[in-house]
Amino acid sequence: MAIDSASPVPKYAQLRDLLLDWMVDTGLSVDDPIPSERELGQRYGLSRMTVRQTIDLLVSEGKLYRVPGKGTFLARPKIEMALALASFTEDMRARGYQPGAQDLVRRVMPASGSTARTMGLEPETPVHHIERLRTADGEPMAVERSNIPVDLAPGLDQHALAGRSLYAVLEQEYGIILDSGEQTIEAGICDPADAKLLGLANGSPVLSMRRRSFANGRCVELATSRYRADRYTLHSRLDPLR
Ligand code: GLP
């Protein structure tokens, strides 16, 4: 296939599709280099500027990554996140990754006004505040901040959570089985502290999630999470709106 000069599709977009096909056809593996901009320009009869525009696009889509002075390489496929009431541990295992958790903050504190309102608690009700760095195969993936009412899980602060599933602890130690939840997801920009934890440049895009999970009608967890947008994609089945 070649670039079609008569097509209304911009050349950089045509090249994007051609390159994606080429990667599949040649069986390019993760971390393999792609040809240089100059080579691609010659191969497809395009200016270096157009080729760069295509590469920039594929890098911003997370399909390629650049190593300064070395070249451009095929990135790992993004992880598809299930839009389900699943724990990070379950979700990662289902996708063949080894889940991990590193404790950043563990403390009992009075719920802030908005946390109490959102969780249906009296103002200043004590909550466990838990901040964790979540990893997949040892690689930082997300920063998760959870609030759990102390009366539902007394002594939770005594349970080690590093490398352990919070949902499993809630179930095994407190008999809490989450049965419903709701979640909002929006695009966000990583703040400097989270960027450092996630190994990202300041201002990198993240998926910001806010989840409330319930058991028997009571809000058990209010969590805000920041997932790396370069490693995650959301996937959901679509049914007609009724
Ligand atoms: C998901 C949710 C979090 C929840 C976590 C529990 O990532 N977004 O709100 O705290 O799962 O995961 P785990 O049981 O693996 O600790």
Side-chain angles (χ1 to χ4, degrees):
M1 287 287 286
I3 300 287
D4 176 1
S5 308
S7 165
V9 179
K11 287 182 182 153
Y12 78 88
Q14 291 188 50
L15 180 60
R16 173 190 176 277
D17 292 348
L18 288 175
L19 279 183
L20 289 175
D21 287 347
W22 172 84
M23 289 171 201
V24 174
D25 295 346
T26 55
L28 200 72
S29 305
V30 170
D31 297 330
D32 278 352
I34 63 156
S36 68
E37 289 176 5
R38 195 167 48 82
E39 236 176 297
L40 288 171
Q42 280 166 2
R43 187 186 296 180
Y44 293 101
L46 293 171
S47 74
R48 205 147 159 190
M49 219 175 76
T50 306
V51 174
R52 185 160 306 156
Q53 212 179 345
T54 307
I55 307 289
D56 284 347
L57 178 63
L58 289 166
V59 168
S60 73
E61 289 174 350
K63 296 198 164 63
L64 296 175
Y65 68 94
R66 282 195 175 102
V67 179
K70 294 235 162 91
T72 307
F73 303 84
L74 185 65
R76 284 159 301 169
K78 289 188 182 180
I79 301 174
E80 275 192 359
M81 187 186 308
L83 291 174
L85 185 56
S87 72
F88 182 88
T89 302
E90 292 170 314
D91 204 12
M92 286 306 106
R93 285 210 179 116
R95 282 158 178 72
Y97 293 88
Q98 178 62 39
Q102 194 181 308
D103 273 349
L104 301 173
V105 175
R106 299 282 301 273
R107 63 168 178 252
V108 170
M109 56 189 274
S112 69
S114 80
T115 298
R117 259 193 315 281
T118 313
M119 297 188 79
L121 300 171
E122 290 299 319
E124 308 212 341
T125 303
V127 291
H128 295 288
H129 181 75
I130 302 168
E131 298 190 10
R132 294 182 296 162
L133 178 66
R134 308 310 307 261
T135 58
D137 289 350
E139 188 191 6
M141 288 290 158
V143 180
E144 296 199 308
R145 298 182 169 87
S146 304
N147 296 287
I148 296 172
V150 171
D151 71 307
L152 284 177
L156 177 64
D157 42 328
Q158 306 305 318
H159 290 280
L161 283 179
R164 224 176 147 197
S165 160
L166 171 62
Y167 285 3
V169 171
L170 290 175
E171 188 170 334
Q172 288 156 14
E173 310 287 341
Y174 300 97
I176 297 174
I177 299 178
L178 299 171
D179 52 28
S180 66
E182 54 174 29
Q183 183 162 281
T184 55
I185 303 166
E186 57 190 329
I189 294 292
C190 207
D191 63 37
D194 286 354
K196 200 163 167 209
L197 290 166
L198 292 168
L200 297 174
N202 281 349
S204 296
V206 283
L207 296 169
S208 255
M209 313 198 184
R210 197 170 156 87
R211 179 190 287 196
R212 286 197 301 166
S213 350
F214 300 83
N216 299 316
R218 196 151 166 213
C219 184
V220 174
E221 184 195 35
L222 170 66
T224 51
S225 313
R226 297 227 161 78
Y227 280 73
R228 291 173 56 161
D230 62 332
R231 296 294 292 120
Y232 274 90
T233 180
L234 301 168
H235 180 262
S236 74
R237 225 186 86 90
L238 295 180
D239 292 316
L241 190 60
R242 293 193 195 285

